[in-house]
């Protein structure tokens, strides 16, 4: 029997350092700042005196789960190292409307330069965390765990997978090298080459320099025996209704992890979980999550020495 709690579909805690090195995070933030600043913030530079100091407070305008505080801090650190950023909550915290999340103090010009980029990251990542939390709540009490997919924003996958974790979800493979996932098009190519699935998996295992998780996608119950013969770690049950999922889970009988996928939404996810699957992958967590509404409100402290 395969224990889903020990399978490599998750990290043990919400920690951004598991996903990005400081240098990788800096590169992402630098690209975002370059995109937004262009040749400079002409409005702030021409209208706001350089001596003006202020404090800006991030507040949730809707209830949700926060993610991206370290990213916002990195934004302001790169804009102006003299700025002081402080968080009132941690990533993964559920917040209510008008609740303070973090504050940043220092040059008003610098606060304005980083405002949109910091908010874009926090709103996007908090939206993913908030939607993930809704899916996690929907399957609570079942054995199923909510996992993400590779349907992420190009260049932001690590941050978006981090946000899924902040919302209580789990991570599937990071990239194409992280594990083998044999999908329908792979199976078509194998048949054209005259290879059975067990033969192909056996060849792959011999070629791999180290042990790696292997998962096979099926969309019919009669495809399951070949996957079991190949001794795969997980079987992805694609676009199956709950009754078929229950039949598939019974046939697999703990010999591989079971993953439901395809067309999952908040209305259907509970019924899929009740079929007894170990994992439910949801592309919508990252490709369709609405941004969480977060505002940045300025509290002026003093102006040009007066």
């Amino acid at each position: 029997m395969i224990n889903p709690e020990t399978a490599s579909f998750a990290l043990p805690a919400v920690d951004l350092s598991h996903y990005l090195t400081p240098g990788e995070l800096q590169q992402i933030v630098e690209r975002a700042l370059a995109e937004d600043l262009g040749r400079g913030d002409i409005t702030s530079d021409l209208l706001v005196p350089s001596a003006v100091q202020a404090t800006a407070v991030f507040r949730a305008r809707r209830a949700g789960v926060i993610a991206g505080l370290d990213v916002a801090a990195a934004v302001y650190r790169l804009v102006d190292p003299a700025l002081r950023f402080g968080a009132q909550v941690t990533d993964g915290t559920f917040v209510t409307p008008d609740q303070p999340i973090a504050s940043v103090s220092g040059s008003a010009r610098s606060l304005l330069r980083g405002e949109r980029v910091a908010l874009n990251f926090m709103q996007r990542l908090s939206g993913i965390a908030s939607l993930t939390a809704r899916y996690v709540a929907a399957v609570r009490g079942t054995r199923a765990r909510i996992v993400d997919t590779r349907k992420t924003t190009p260049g932001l996958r690590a941050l978006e997978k981090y946000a899924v974790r902040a919302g209580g979800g789990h991570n599937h493979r990071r990239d194409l090298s992280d594990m083998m996932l044999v999908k329908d098009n792979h199976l078509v190519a194998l048949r054209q080459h005259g290879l059975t699935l067990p033969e192909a998996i056996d060849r792959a295992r011999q070629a791999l320099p180290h042990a790696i998780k292997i998962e096979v996608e099926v969309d019919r119950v009669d495809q399951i025996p070949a996957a079991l013969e190949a001794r795969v770690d997980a079987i992805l049950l694609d676009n199956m209704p709950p009754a078929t999922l229950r039949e598939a889970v019974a046939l697999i009988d703990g010999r591989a992890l079971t993953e439901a996928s395809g067309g999952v939404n908040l209305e259907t996810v509970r019924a899929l979980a009740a079929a007894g699957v170990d994992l439910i992958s949801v592309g919508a967590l990252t490709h369709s999550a609405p941004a969480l509404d977060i505002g940045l409100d300025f509290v002026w402290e003093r102006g040009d020495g007066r």
Side-chain angles (χ1 to χ4, degrees), residues 88-148:
Q88 275 75 62
V89 300
T90 58
D91 282 353
T93 300
F94 177 82
V95 296
T96 55
D98 205 38
Q99 181 175 342
I101 299 168
S103 63
V104 58
S105 300
S107 162
R109 282 185 180 179
S110 296
L111 299 186
L112 290 162
R113 287 190 190 104
E115 176 182 5
R116 177 42 51 200
V117 173
L119 281 172
N120 282 351
F121 278 121
M122 284 194 64
Q123 289 176 328
R124 171 67 178 154
L125 299 181
S126 297
I128 291 171
S130 300
L131 182 59
T132 301
R134 294 181 66 190
Y135 274 92
V136 171
V139 303
R140 189 164 290 129
T142 72
R143 68 179 285 114
R145 290 186 293 160
I146 300 297
V147 299
D148 54 25

Side-chain angles (χ1 to χ4, degrees), residues 239-291:
N239 281 298
M240 292 184 180
T244 307
L245 282 178
R246 284 192 291 272
E247 181 184 354
V249 168
L251 178 59
I252 294 166
D253 193 26
R255 289 174 285 177
L257 288 178
T258 53
E259 176 185 344
S261 182
V264 183
N265 57 52
L266 284 167
E267 286 68 45
T268 61
V269 68
R270 180 75 188 188
L272 300 178
V277 294
D278 299 304
L279 310 168
I280 302 177
S281 54
V282 187
L285 299 181
T286 50
H287 71 58
S288 297

Side-chain angles (χ1 to χ4, degrees), residues 16-248:
L16 188 57
S17 66
H18 285 300
Y19 295 80
L20 290 166
T21 66
E24 289 169 336
L25 176 59
Q26 180 170 324
Q27 288 177 356
I28 290 172
V29 172
E30 284 176 341
R31 286 196 298 270
L33 285 169
E35 176 183 66
D36 197 51
L37 287 172
R39 289 170 292 177
D41 180 3
I42 59 173
T43 308
S44 301
D45 290 347
L46 294 177
L47 296 185
V48 180
S50 60
V52 174
Q53 301 285 299
T55 293
V57 180
F58 291 90
R59 295 181 188 274
R61 290 176 175 159
R62 296 191 64 182
V65 177
I66 295 302
L69 286 163
D70 286 345
V71 187
V75 169
Y76 278 115
R77 187 165 57 249
L78 286 171
V79 166
D80 182 350
L83 293 174
R84 301 176 301 281
F85 184 94
Q88 275 75 62
V89 300
T90 58
D91 282 353
T93 300
F94 177 82
V95 296
T96 55
D98 205 38
Q99 181 175 342
I101 299 168
S103 63
V104 58
S105 300
S107 162
R109 282 185 180 179
S110 296
L111 299 186
L112 290 162
R113 287 190 190 104
E115 176 182 5
R116 177 42 51 200
V117 173
L119 281 172
N120 282 351
F121 278 121
M122 284 194 64
Q123 289 176 328
R124 171 67 178 154
L125 299 181
S126 297
I128 291 171
S130 300
L131 182 59
T132 301
R134 294 181 66 190
Y135 274 92
V136 171
V139 303
R140 189 164 290 129
T142 72
R143 68 179 285 114
R145 290 186 293 160
I146 300 297
V147 299
D148 54 25
T149 71
R150 287 167 39 245
K151 297 175 182 178
T152 53
T153 306
L156 297 182
R157 178 173 297 169
L159 288 177
E160 293 181 349
K161 282 182 170 284
Y162 166 76
V164 167
R165 192 71 181 112
H170 296 263
N171 301 138
H172 207 288
R173 59 177 177 167
R174 294 181 300 272
D175 52 49
L176 290 172
S177 68
D178 195 37
M179 64 177 287
M180 285 185 63
L181 176 49
V182 185
K183 296 178 72 70
D184 52 356
N185 285 334
H186 295 108
L187 295 173
V188 171
L190 289 178
R191 286 195 295 271
Q192 291 178 341
H193 196 61
L195 281 175
T196 67
L197 177 64
E199 289 171 341
I201 295 296
D202 186 57
R203 289 188 184 187
R205 283 197 177 99
Q206 293 180 39
L208 286 167
H210 55 82
I212 195 166
K213 299 291 182 182
I214 300 175
E215 182 171 16
V216 171
E217 177 186 74
V218 303
D219 53 22
R220 302 191 317 273
V221 172
D222 63 7
Q223 296 172 309
I224 292 174
L228 292 173
E229 184 184 344
R231 296 174 292 109
V232 299
D233 300 285
I235 299 176
L236 190 158
L237 307 166
D238 188 44
N239 281 298
M240 292 184 180
T244 307
L245 282 178
R246 284 192 291 272
E247 181 184 354

